[in-house]
Amino acid sequence: MFAQDALALLDQLLPVTLSNLQETVFCQVWEDKTYAEIADEYNYEHSYIRDIGFRLWQLLSEALREKVTKSNVKAVLSRYARSQTATAAQRTTVQSDLATKYASVESAALEFPNGPVPLNSRLYIERPPIEARTFAEVLKPGSLIRLKGPRQMGKTSLLRRILHHAKTHDIEVVPLSLHRVDQATLQDLDRFLRWFCANISYQLGIESKLDEYWNTDIGSKVSCTLYLEEYLLKQIQKPIAIALDEVNELFQFSQISAEFLPLLRSWYEDAKEIEEWRKVRWILSHATDIYVPLQIKQSPFNVGLSIPLPEFSIPQIQDLVERHGLRNLLGVNGINKLMPLLEVISCRPGLVRLALYHLSQQSADVDELIANGHTQSGIYSDHLRHLLAAIHPYQDLQSALLTVIASEGSVELPPMTAYRLESIGLIKLEGNMATISCRLYSKFFSQYLSA
């Protein structure tokens, strides 16, 4: 059996479509190449290729319900192929399906890109080596991962995959979204820390005993630490991954963030000496760096593994185009047709996915998306209204944004203003100099703020 024949079997077996790199690794392993040889040939890190292979064998093991490894994959798939008694008509159907690998999927079956990309979605695009690095890091005792990027960059989609990877390695996961915290809770440190402990207890299925450990004389931060260290972490046998999504929600509550974030840093540091804290893996998702007066040794934003989320590359967009079945946009000519739109939306993952969805549904063509994308009737209207609502109450932010838009180059803004605009995702910062993050935003805000 040749490698391409084996790939044909994978297309039948697996519930997800393999990425280009996964297919490459599979084919090279089939030709008896080592991970090191593959990494050298394709200019990747050895550990990254090894992790790609590990996840491939895990997917096949689940599909075939038997253990699949690098060493036995040939034997297992050959045995599976021999066991098939497909008729000639069925074989023809399989060949036809392979010839139209992505385009055969009806466009109506594509999920609308609203929120994080589902775990089982074939439309999730990996951005090497980000997934491999974070997947490896979450398995390390006492680790901390920081995912940084504005809206529409895929933070939550990646965070959910890190947690899923942790679960497959027998790690308990505790996702905490700070979008869901009551405003009243965010006004009081004691109340917030009790919320934090109670939520972790509930998700781990451990009886909450907050009142037994909370002591007003020693303070809420010490009480919270004792509750986690002396009670909760001693109750669990497995390690846990605690994920705090949208940590920047805390930034506007300076009293909470100035107290809680150094406390979080101290727990991370405690993992170096205290065994209970080594059970914890922290994952923080945030739009930008904090702008509150924290000492360097108190901030959790300068330790651990930092992962700034980039825009899609052109090859990644081509992969996504293929998965949408948009054959007319494949190849050099296709990407040239798409490039004017990509320049408008700056290859932002969420904005790219929304555009490709509408193109696949034939509800608009590229020229229409460029002409109408910034308008109230365009496909980005909901996203743009959300951004407008975020700065509408603040005249200083509106004025600063118009200054950036009007500037031919970069412009320096007051630090707090720059932080707030960057956290919303409207500007990019290089040092102290700001530029607009996306031409789509220039067209929309120059129109509405001027009006």
Side-chain angles (χ1 to χ4, degrees):
M1 187 190 304
F2 294 107
Q4 291 302 318
D5 299 320
L7 275 180
L9 286 177
L10 264 59
D11 285 331
Q12 299 175 54
L13 280 168
L14 298 180
V16 296
T17 302
L18 296 182
S19 68
N20 291 339
L21 182 56
Q22 285 175 315
E23 289 189 358
T24 299
V25 171
F26 177 84
C27 290
Q28 293 296 308
V29 167
W30 195 267
E31 299 297 334
D32 298 321
K33 296 286 185 66
T34 66
Y35 290 141
E37 289 171 335
I38 301 170
D40 289 342
E41 182 173 349
Y42 291 91
N43 200 26
Y44 285 99
E45 291 183 3
H46 181 195
S47 60
Y48 178 59
I49 295 298
R50 186 177 62 244
D51 192 71
I52 291 288
F54 172 81
R55 282 180 283 152
L56 261 177
W57 316 139
Q58 190 173 47
L59 281 171
L60 272 173
S61 298
E62 293 172 357
L64 291 166
R65 298 185 179 180
E66 66 174 293
K67 182 69 172 177
V68 178
T69 65
K70 180 176 181 290
S71 59
N72 74 358
V73 62
K74 277 189 176 182
V76 172
L77 285 180
S78 297
R79 187 166 59 248
Y80 174 81
R82 290 194 301 269
S83 71
Q84 302 307 296
T85 57
T87 63
Q90 288 172 322
R91 287 195 296 271
T92 301
T93 301
V94 169
Q95 291 167 356
S96 174
D97 288 343
L98 291 172
T100 57
K101 187 174 183 182
Y102 296 109
S104 62
V105 179
E106 295 182 6
S107 60
L110 296 171
E111 70 263 16
F112 184 78
N114 182 26
V117 184
L119 282 175
N120 61 349
S121 174
R122 60 191 173 83
L123 299 181
Y124 180 79
I125 299 295
E126 292 192 356
R127 285 173 276 183
I130 287 175
E131 283 78 11
R133 293 185 67 195
T134 53
F135 289 175
E137 191 72 14
V138 77
L139 304 183
K140 298 178 182 178
S143 59
L144 186 149
I145 302 169
R146 293 182 286 113
L147 309 178
K148 178 184 173 183
R151 287 171 55 85
Q152 302 293 331
M153 293 301 288
K155 296 192 303 298
T156 305
S157 296
L158 174 58
L159 185 149
R160 291 185 178 183
R161 281 158 177 79
I162 297 171
L163 292 180
H164 177 72
H165 183 73
K167 288 176 72 173
T168 63
H169 286 76
D170 210 25
I171 297 174
E172 298 274 8
V173 301
V174 180
L176 299 173
S177 176
L178 294 175
H179 277 311
R180 299 177 180 175
V181 187
D182 295 341
Q183 291 289 302
T185 300
L186 290 169
Q187 303 290 341
D188 180 76
L189 178 65
D190 186 79
R191 189 169 174 175
F192 173 78
L193 293 178
R194 288 179 69 96
W195 170 90
F196 181 76
C197 291
N199 271 272
I200 296 175
S201 299
Y202 177 79
Q203 293 197 47
L204 293 176
I206 296 175
E207 181 186 359
S208 177
K209 294 186 178 181
L210 286 173
D211 291 337
E212 294 183 24
Y213 286 84
W214 229 258
N215 186 327
T216 55
D217 292 332
I218 62 175
S220 55
K221 289 196 291 186
V222 175
S223 297
C224 176
T225 302
L226 290 175
Y227 179 82
L228 296 174
E229 183 180 319
E230 298 295 328
Y231 172 62
L232 193 143
L233 293 177
K234 287 185 182 296
Q235 298 290 313
I236 60 175
Q237 302 302 314
K238 300 178 181 180
I240 62 172
I242 301 176
L244 290 169
D245 197 11
E246 299 294 349
V247 176
N248 43 283
E249 289 292 311
L250 293 180
F251 297 173
Q252 59 185 306
F253 301 95
S254 57
Q255 181 183 1
I256 299 292
S257 56
E259 297 281 0
F260 176 68
L261 294 174
L263 180 62
L264 183 60
R265 166 69 179 262
S266 74
W267 295 334
Y268 167 75
E269 297 288 355
D270 284 345
K272 297 175 182 177
E273 299 179 357
I274 302 174
E275 187 63 31
E276 275 69 32
W277 287 110
R278 287 177 56 79
K279 296 178 181 179
V280 183
R281 289 88 163 117
W282 299 100
I283 310 168
L284 310 183
S285 159
H286 58 107
T288 187
D289 292 328
I290 188 171
Y291 192 81
V292 294
L294 292 181
Q295 296 179 13
I296 292 177
K297 293 184 178 181
Q298 292 182 328
S299 173
F301 297 102
N302 53 20
V303 293
L305 176 64
S306 176
I307 301 290
L309 294 187
E311 293 83 6
F312 277 155
S313 67
I314 295 303
Q316 288 163 352
I317 291 173
Q318 289 176 314
D319 190 357
L320 193 56
V321 166
E322 189 176 8
R323 298 186 191 198
H324 278 78
L326 293 166
R327 291 185 140 192
N328 62 315
L329 295 177
L330 290 175
V332 175
N333 291 335
I335 204 66
N336 285 340
K337 293 179 187 176
L338 199 55
M339 191 58 71
L341 174 62
L342 298 179
E343 291 174 350
V344 170
I345 60 179
S346 297
C347 298
R348 290 201 162 196
L351 304 184
V352 171
R353 280 198 65 218
L354 188 58
L356 296 183
Y357 173 83
H358 282 276
L359 290 171
S360 71
Q361 301 298 303
Q362 299 181 348
S363 57
D365 60 26
V366 173
D367 290 338
E368 288 176 296
L369 295 183
I370 295 172
N372 301 325
H374 66 288
T375 67
Q376 291 283 5
S377 61
I379 65 171
Y380 299 118
S381 58
D382 287 344
H383 173 61
L384 294 171
R385 280 195 291 267
H386 174 87
L387 296 175
L388 181 61
I391 67 169
H392 186 265
Y394 309 105
Q395 187 62 47
D396 59 329
L397 295 187
Q398 296 178 40
S399 299
L401 183 59
L402 284 174
T403 299
V404 174
I405 292 172
S407 174
E408 294 184 1
S410 57
V411 60
E412 186 169 5
L413 298 175
M416 187 59 177
T417 301
Y419 147 70
R420 291 160 70 191
L421 288 175
E422 186 194 26
S423 67
I424 296 169
L426 292 173
I427 65 170
K428 288 182 177 180
L429 289 175
E430 285 194 25
N432 296 324
M433 307 304 290
T435 56
I436 197 72
S437 62
C438 184
R439 273 177 50 195
L440 178 72
Y441 301 157
S442 291
K443 297 171 73 173
F444 175 77
F445 284 100
S446 61
Q447 174 184 343
Y448 281 91
L449 294 185
S450 298

